[in-house]
PDB file of all heavy atoms in Angstrom:
ATOM      1  N   ALA G   1      77.902 -45.106  77.356  1.00  0.00           N
ATOM      2  CA  ALA G   1      76.957 -44.946  78.448  1.00  0.00           C
ATOM      3  C   ALA G   1      77.562 -45.192  79.894  1.00  0.00           C
ATOM      4  O   ALA G   1      77.157 -44.370  80.811  1.00  0.00           O
ATOM      5  CB  ALA G   1      75.824 -45.921  78.235  1.00  0.00           C
ATOM      6  N   PRO G   2      78.488 -46.135  80.005  1.00  0.00           N
ATOM      7  CA  PRO G   2      79.072 -46.195  81.402  1.00  0.00           C
ATOM      8  C   PRO G   2      79.839 -45.041  81.775  1.00  0.00           C
ATOM      9  O   PRO G   2      79.926 -44.615  82.959  1.00  0.00           O
ATOM     10  CB  PRO G   2      79.972 -47.383  81.330  1.00  0.00           C
ATOM     11  CG  PRO G   2      79.419 -48.263  80.186  1.00  0.00           C
ATOM     12  CD  PRO G   2      78.833 -47.238  79.220  1.00  0.00           C
ATOM     13  N   HIS G   3      80.477 -44.404  80.837  1.00  0.00           N
ATOM     14  CA  HIS G   3      81.357 -43.283  81.139  1.00  0.00           C
ATOM     15  C   HIS G   3      80.490 -42.123  81.650  1.00  0.00           C
ATOM     16  O   HIS G   3      80.813 -41.400  82.621  1.00  0.00           O
ATOM     17  CB  HIS G   3      82.205 -42.868  79.951  1.00  0.00           C
ATOM     18  CG  HIS G   3      83.100 -43.956  79.437  1.00  0.00           C
ATOM     19  ND1 HIS G   3      84.158 -44.286  80.180  1.00  0.00           N
ATOM     20  CD2 HIS G   3      83.050 -44.602  78.338  1.00  0.00           C
ATOM     21  CE1 HIS G   3      84.831 -45.217  79.497  1.00  0.00           C
ATOM     22  NE2 HIS G   3      84.150 -45.537  78.356  1.00  0.00           N
ATOM     23  N   LEU G   4      79.309 -41.915  81.044  1.00  0.00           N
ATOM     24  CA  LEU G   4      78.374 -40.856  81.409  1.00  0.00           C
ATOM     25  C   LEU G   4      77.755 -41.222  82.732  1.00  0.00           C
ATOM     26  O   LEU G   4      77.683 -40.334  83.626  1.00  0.00           O
ATOM     27  CB  LEU G   4      77.258 -40.795  80.415  1.00  0.00           C
ATOM     28  CG  LEU G   4      76.148 -39.775  80.644  1.00  0.00           C
ATOM     29  CD1 LEU G   4      76.800 -38.351  80.683  1.00  0.00           C
ATOM     30  CD2 LEU G   4      75.093 -39.773  79.561  1.00  0.00           C
ATOM     31  N   SER G   5      77.507 -42.462  82.961  1.00  0.00           N
ATOM     32  CA  SER G   5      76.922 -42.842  84.310  1.00  0.00           C
ATOM     33  C   SER G   5      77.896 -42.697  85.388  1.00  0.00           C
ATOM     34  O   SER G   5      77.605 -42.256  86.554  1.00  0.00           O
ATOM     35  CB  SER G   5      76.374 -44.278  84.332  1.00  0.00           C
ATOM     36  OG  SER G   5      77.428 -45.226  84.191  1.00  0.00           O
ATOM     37  N   PHE G   6      79.178 -42.964  85.161  1.00  0.00           N
ATOM     38  CA  PHE G   6      80.257 -42.717  86.184  1.00  0.00           C
ATOM     39  C   PHE G   6      80.382 -41.261  86.478  1.00  0.00           C
ATOM     40  O   PHE G   6      80.678 -40.833  87.542  1.00  0.00           O
ATOM     41  CB  PHE G   6      81.541 -43.395  85.766  1.00  0.00           C
ATOM     42  CG  PHE G   6      81.567 -44.822  85.843  1.00  0.00           C
ATOM     43  CD1 PHE G   6      82.094 -45.634  84.785  1.00  0.00           C
ATOM     44  CD2 PHE G   6      81.048 -45.535  86.923  1.00  0.00           C
ATOM     45  CE1 PHE G   6      82.075 -47.012  84.827  1.00  0.00           C
ATOM     46  CE2 PHE G   6      80.975 -46.848  86.953  1.00  0.00           C
ATOM     47  CZ  PHE G   6      81.481 -47.604  85.906  1.00  0.00           C
ATOM     48  N   LEU G   7      80.421 -40.464  85.412  1.00  0.00           N
ATOM     49  CA  LEU G   7      80.369 -38.977  85.536  1.00  0.00           C
ATOM     50  C   LEU G   7      79.277 -38.499  86.461  1.00  0.00           C
ATOM     51  O   LEU G   7      79.495 -37.656  87.352  1.00  0.00           O
ATOM     52  CB  LEU G   7      80.395 -38.345  84.170  1.00  0.00           C
ATOM     53  CG  LEU G   7      80.561 -36.758  84.222  1.00  0.00           C
ATOM     54  CD1 LEU G   7      81.901 -36.412  84.732  1.00  0.00           C
ATOM     55  CD2 LEU G   7      80.379 -36.277  82.826  1.00  0.00           C
ATOM     56  N   LEU G   8      78.114 -38.972  86.173  1.00  0.00           N
ATOM     57  CA  LEU G   8      76.955 -38.518  86.932  1.00  0.00           C
ATOM     58  C   LEU G   8      77.067 -39.000  88.382  1.00  0.00           C
ATOM     59  O   LEU G   8      76.661 -38.372  89.300  1.00  0.00           O
ATOM     60  CB  LEU G   8      75.701 -38.988  86.297  1.00  0.00           C
ATOM     61  CG  LEU G   8      75.305 -38.359  84.944  1.00  0.00           C
ATOM     62  CD1 LEU G   8      74.038 -38.931  84.291  1.00  0.00           C
ATOM     63  CD2 LEU G   8      75.110 -36.891  85.147  1.00  0.00           C
ATOM     64  N   LEU G   9      77.520 -40.280  88.539  1.00  0.00           N
ATOM     65  CA  LEU G   9      77.700 -40.740  89.906  1.00  0.00           C
ATOM     66  C   LEU G   9      78.728 -39.871  90.637  1.00  0.00           C
ATOM     67  O   LEU G   9      78.509 -39.589  91.840  1.00  0.00           O
ATOM     68  CB  LEU G   9      78.261 -42.253  89.832  1.00  0.00           C
ATOM     69  CG  LEU G   9      78.554 -42.838  91.272  1.00  0.00           C
ATOM     70  CD1 LEU G   9      77.248 -43.013  92.061  1.00  0.00           C
ATOM     71  CD2 LEU G   9      79.138 -44.192  90.996  1.00  0.00           C
ATOM     72  N   GLY G  10      79.789 -39.514  90.081  1.00  0.00           N
ATOM     73  CA  GLY G  10      80.801 -38.675  90.668  1.00  0.00           C
ATOM     74  C   GLY G  10      80.216 -37.344  91.106  1.00  0.00           C
ATOM     75  O   GLY G  10      80.442 -36.771  92.139  1.00  0.00           O
ATOM     76  N   VAL G  11      79.447 -36.747  90.205  1.00  0.00           N
ATOM     77  CA  VAL G  11      78.770 -35.474  90.487  1.00  0.00           C
ATOM     78  C   VAL G  11      77.856 -35.600  91.602  1.00  0.00           C
ATOM     79  O   VAL G  11      77.754 -34.806  92.533  1.00  0.00           O
ATOM     80  CB  VAL G  11      78.095 -34.884  89.213  1.00  0.00           C
ATOM     81  CG1 VAL G  11      77.165 -33.739  89.623  1.00  0.00           C
ATOM     82  CG2 VAL G  11      79.117 -34.491  88.172  1.00  0.00           C
ATOM     83  N   PHE G  12      77.077 -36.693  91.662  1.00  0.00           N
ATOM     84  CA  PHE G  12      76.151 -36.923  92.726  1.00  0.00           C
ATOM     85  C   PHE G  12      76.863 -37.159  94.060  1.00  0.00           C
ATOM     86  O   PHE G  12      76.454 -36.541  95.084  1.00  0.00           O
ATOM     87  CB  PHE G  12      75.288 -38.260  92.464  1.00  0.00           C
ATOM     88  CG  PHE G  12      74.381 -38.657  93.525  1.00  0.00           C
ATOM     89  CD1 PHE G  12      73.294 -37.984  93.863  1.00  0.00           C
ATOM     90  CD2 PHE G  12      74.786 -39.770  94.321  1.00  0.00           C
ATOM     91  CE1 PHE G  12      72.509 -38.309  94.919  1.00  0.00           C
ATOM     92  CE2 PHE G  12      73.962 -40.170  95.430  1.00  0.00           C
ATOM     93  CZ  PHE G  12      72.771 -39.468  95.638  1.00  0.00           C
ATOM     94  N   LEU G  13      77.924 -37.948  94.093  1.00  0.00           N
ATOM     95  CA  LEU G  13      78.726 -38.145  95.270  1.00  0.00           C
ATOM     96  C   LEU G  13      79.366 -36.825  95.843  1.00  0.00           C
ATOM     97  O   LEU G  13      79.364 -36.444  96.987  1.00  0.00           O
ATOM     98  CB  LEU G  13      79.774 -39.169  95.110  1.00  0.00           C
ATOM     99  CG  LEU G  13      79.232 -40.593  94.932  1.00  0.00           C
ATOM    100  CD1 LEU G  13      80.432 -41.567  94.596  1.00  0.00           C
ATOM    101  CD2 LEU G  13      78.417 -41.062  96.152  1.00  0.00           C
ATOM    102  N   LEU G  14      79.892 -35.972  94.831  1.00  0.00           N
ATOM    103  CA  LEU G  14      80.448 -34.666  95.249  1.00  0.00           C
ATOM    104  C   LEU G  14      79.257 -33.770  95.839  1.00  0.00           C
ATOM    105  O   LEU G  14      79.529 -33.077  96.839  1.00  0.00           O
ATOM    106  CB  LEU G  14      81.109 -34.017  94.105  1.00  0.00           C
ATOM    107  CG  LEU G  14      82.392 -34.469  93.603  1.00  0.00           C
ATOM    108  CD1 LEU G  14      82.847 -33.966  92.354  1.00  0.00           C
ATOM    109  CD2 LEU G  14      83.454 -34.280  94.813  1.00  0.00           C
ATOM    110  N   GLY G  15      78.082 -33.886  95.277  1.00  0.00           N
ATOM    111  CA  GLY G  15      76.985 -32.981  95.759  1.00  0.00           C
ATOM    112  C   GLY G  15      76.543 -33.450  97.179  1.00  0.00           C
ATOM    113  O   GLY G  15      76.321 -32.634  98.071  1.00  0.00           O
ATOM    114  N   VAL G  16      76.486 -34.791  97.397  1.00  0.00           N
ATOM    115  CA  VAL G  16      76.198 -35.299  98.663  1.00  0.00           C
ATOM    116  C   VAL G  16      77.165 -34.892  99.742  1.00  0.00           C
ATOM    117  O   VAL G  16      76.875 -34.448 100.794  1.00  0.00           O
ATOM    118  CB  VAL G  16      75.941 -36.795  98.700  1.00  0.00           C
ATOM    119  CG1 VAL G  16      75.888 -37.330 100.071  1.00  0.00           C
ATOM    120  CG2 VAL G  16      74.777 -37.120  97.871  1.00  0.00           C
ATOM    121  N   SER G  17      78.464 -34.921  99.372  1.00  0.00           N
ATOM    122  CA  SER G  17      79.452 -34.605 100.334  1.00  0.00           C
ATOM    123  C   SER G  17      79.507 -33.095 100.616  1.00  0.00           C
ATOM    124  O   SER G  17      79.692 -32.593 101.723  1.00  0.00           O
ATOM    125  CB  SER G  17      80.806 -35.035  99.875  1.00  0.00           C
ATOM    126  OG  SER G  17      81.234 -34.317  98.744  1.00  0.00           O
ATOM    127  N   TRP G  18      79.184 -32.213  99.545  1.00  0.00           N
ATOM    128  CA  TRP G  18      79.081 -30.847  99.719  1.00  0.00           C
ATOM    129  C   TRP G  18      77.940 -30.460 100.623  1.00  0.00           C
ATOM    130  O   TRP G  18      78.046 -29.652 101.551  1.00  0.00           O
ATOM    131  CB  TRP G  18      79.006 -30.115  98.404  1.00  0.00           C
ATOM    132  CG  TRP G  18      78.829 -28.622  98.533  1.00  0.00           C
ATOM    133  CD1 TRP G  18      79.875 -27.690  98.761  1.00  0.00           C
ATOM    134  CD2 TRP G  18      77.587 -27.888  98.516  1.00  0.00           C
ATOM    135  NE1 TRP G  18      79.297 -26.464  98.839  1.00  0.00           N
ATOM    136  CE2 TRP G  18      77.948 -26.495  98.744  1.00  0.00           C
ATOM    137  CE3 TRP G  18      76.338 -28.192  98.275  1.00  0.00           C
ATOM    138  CZ2 TRP G  18      76.983 -25.538  98.718  1.00  0.00           C
ATOM    139  CZ3 TRP G  18      75.349 -27.219  98.361  1.00  0.00           C
ATOM    140  CH2 TRP G  18      75.737 -25.906  98.529  1.00  0.00           C
ATOM    141  N   ILE G  19      76.733 -31.065 100.422  1.00  0.00           N
ATOM    142  CA  ILE G  19      75.650 -30.782 101.279  1.00  0.00           C
ATOM    143  C   ILE G  19      75.856 -31.256 102.706  1.00  0.00           C
ATOM    144  O   ILE G  19      75.539 -30.486 103.603  1.00  0.00           O
ATOM    145  CB  ILE G  19      74.388 -31.660 100.659  1.00  0.00           C
ATOM    146  CG1 ILE G  19      73.910 -30.911  99.405  1.00  0.00           C
ATOM    147  CG2 ILE G  19      73.261 -31.631 101.679  1.00  0.00           C
ATOM    148  CD1 ILE G  19      72.857 -31.704  98.648  1.00  0.00           C
ATOM    149  N   TYR G  20      76.420 -32.370 102.886  1.00  0.00           N
ATOM    150  CA  TYR G  20      76.811 -32.777 104.234  1.00  0.00           C
ATOM    151  C   TYR G  20      77.770 -31.778 104.948  1.00  0.00           C
ATOM    152  O   TYR G  20      77.556 -31.463 106.080  1.00  0.00           O
ATOM    153  CB  TYR G  20      77.326 -34.232 104.295  1.00  0.00           C
ATOM    154  CG  TYR G  20      77.785 -34.675 105.615  1.00  0.00           C
ATOM    155  CD1 TYR G  20      76.860 -35.047 106.508  1.00  0.00           C
ATOM    156  CD2 TYR G  20      79.100 -34.805 106.007  1.00  0.00           C
ATOM    157  CE1 TYR G  20      77.114 -35.397 107.857  1.00  0.00           C
ATOM    158  CE2 TYR G  20      79.390 -35.128 107.336  1.00  0.00           C
ATOM    159  CZ  TYR G  20      78.521 -35.455 108.172  1.00  0.00           C
ATOM    160  OH  TYR G  20      78.833 -35.817 109.463  1.00  0.00           O
ATOM    161  N   THR G  21      78.776 -31.362 104.216  1.00  0.00           N
ATOM    162  CA  THR G  21      79.766 -30.472 104.881  1.00  0.00           C
ATOM    163  C   THR G  21      79.062 -29.099 105.124  1.00  0.00           C
ATOM    164  O   THR G  21      79.253 -28.496 106.179  1.00  0.00           O
ATOM    165  CB  THR G  21      80.928 -30.299 103.828  1.00  0.00           C
ATOM    166  OG1 THR G  21      81.538 -31.571 103.631  1.00  0.00           O
ATOM    167  CG2 THR G  21      81.967 -29.377 104.464  1.00  0.00           C
ATOM    168  N   ARG G  22      78.341 -28.635 104.200  1.00  0.00           N
ATOM    169  CA  ARG G  22      77.673 -27.336 104.404  1.00  0.00           C
ATOM    170  C   ARG G  22      76.681 -27.236 105.442  1.00  0.00           C
ATOM    171  O   ARG G  22      76.562 -26.331 106.183  1.00  0.00           O
ATOM    172  CB  ARG G  22      77.039 -26.907 102.998  1.00  0.00           C
ATOM    173  CG  ARG G  22      76.321 -25.586 103.051  1.00  0.00           C
ATOM    174  CD  ARG G  22      76.875 -24.700 102.023  1.00  0.00           C
ATOM    175  NE  ARG G  22      75.932 -23.501 101.826  1.00  0.00           N
ATOM    176  CZ  ARG G  22      76.147 -22.366 102.412  1.00  0.00           C
ATOM    177  NH1 ARG G  22      77.151 -22.219 103.123  1.00  0.00           N
ATOM    178  NH2 ARG G  22      75.299 -21.362 102.194  1.00  0.00           N
ATOM    179  N   PHE G  23      75.886 -28.294 105.547  1.00  0.00           N
ATOM    180  CA  PHE G  23      74.705 -28.299 106.509  1.00  0.00           C
ATOM    181  C   PHE G  23      74.937 -29.356 107.610  1.00  0.00           C
ATOM    182  O   PHE G  23      73.995 -29.854 108.107  1.00  0.00           O
ATOM    183  CB  PHE G  23      73.396 -28.625 105.713  1.00  0.00           C
ATOM    184  CG  PHE G  23      73.055 -27.614 104.650  1.00  0.00           C
ATOM    185  CD1 PHE G  23      73.270 -27.986 103.343  1.00  0.00           C
ATOM    186  CD2 PHE G  23      72.668 -26.349 105.042  1.00  0.00           C
ATOM    187  CE1 PHE G  23      72.935 -27.003 102.343  1.00  0.00           C
ATOM    188  CE2 PHE G  23      72.427 -25.445 104.016  1.00  0.00           C
ATOM    189  CZ  PHE G  23      72.569 -25.793 102.623  1.00  0.00           C
ATOM    190  N   ARG G  24      76.120 -29.497 107.965  1.00  0.00           N
ATOM    191  CA  ARG G  24      76.532 -30.556 108.996  1.00  0.00           C
ATOM    192  C   ARG G  24      75.794 -30.291 110.331  1.00  0.00           C
ATOM    193  O   ARG G  24      75.256 -31.234 110.869  1.00  0.00           O
ATOM    194  CB  ARG G  24      77.991 -30.575 109.221  1.00  0.00           C
ATOM    195  CG  ARG G  24      78.500 -31.562 110.220  1.00  0.00           C
ATOM    196  CD  ARG G  24      80.008 -31.517 110.399  1.00  0.00           C
ATOM    197  NE  ARG G  24      80.615 -31.282 109.111  1.00  0.00           N
ATOM    198  CZ  ARG G  24      81.946 -30.860 109.031  1.00  0.00           C
ATOM    199  NH1 ARG G  24      82.684 -30.683 110.139  1.00  0.00           N
ATOM    200  NH2 ARG G  24      82.437 -30.770 107.849  1.00  0.00           N
ATOM    201  N   ASP G  25      75.795 -29.065 110.768  1.00  0.00           N
ATOM    202  CA  ASP G  25      75.129 -28.813 112.125  1.00  0.00           C
ATOM    203  C   ASP G  25      73.595 -29.045 112.000  1.00  0.00           C
ATOM    204  O   ASP G  25      73.040 -29.593 112.885  1.00  0.00           O
ATOM    205  CB  ASP G  25      75.433 -27.387 112.482  1.00  0.00           C
ATOM    206  CG  ASP G  25      76.887 -27.218 112.781  1.00  0.00           C
ATOM    207  OD1 ASP G  25      77.616 -28.214 113.101  1.00  0.00           O
ATOM    208  OD2 ASP G  25      77.427 -26.048 112.631  1.00  0.00           O
ATOM    209  N   ALA G  26      72.977 -28.631 110.988  1.00  0.00           N
ATOM    210  CA  ALA G  26      71.583 -28.882 110.851  1.00  0.00           C
ATOM    211  C   ALA G  26      71.271 -30.336 110.723  1.00  0.00           C
ATOM    212  O   ALA G  26      70.235 -30.806 111.261  1.00  0.00           O
ATOM    213  CB  ALA G  26      71.043 -28.051 109.549  1.00  0.00           C
ATOM    214  N   ILE G  27      71.975 -31.087 110.024  1.00  0.00           N
ATOM    215  CA  ILE G  27      71.836 -32.526 109.873  1.00  0.00           C
ATOM    216  C   ILE G  27      71.980 -33.136 111.207  1.00  0.00           C
ATOM    217  O   ILE G  27      71.246 -34.107 111.604  1.00  0.00           O
ATOM    218  CB  ILE G  27      72.810 -33.084 108.780  1.00  0.00           C
ATOM    219  CG1 ILE G  27      72.402 -32.618 107.468  1.00  0.00           C
ATOM    220  CG2 ILE G  27      72.708 -34.672 108.879  1.00  0.00           C
ATOM    221  CD1 ILE G  27      73.371 -33.014 106.360  1.00  0.00           C
TER     222      ILE G  27
END
């Protein structure tokens, strides 16, 4: 279970950084 939660946390953090980079000007 912790391994799955860390994997999901990593995917979440990558997604947030991608969204911030992609929509930086709009944000």
Side-chain angles (χ1 to χ4, degrees):
H3 301 292
L4 181 62
S5 68
F6 290 133
L7 181 66
L8 291 175
L9 177 65
V11 168
F12 174 74
L13 292 174
L14 285 173
V16 168
S17 67
W18 178 79
I19 288 171
Y20 177 72
T21 303
R22 176 125 167 98
F23 301 107
R24 182 181 320 162
D25 295 331
I27 292 171

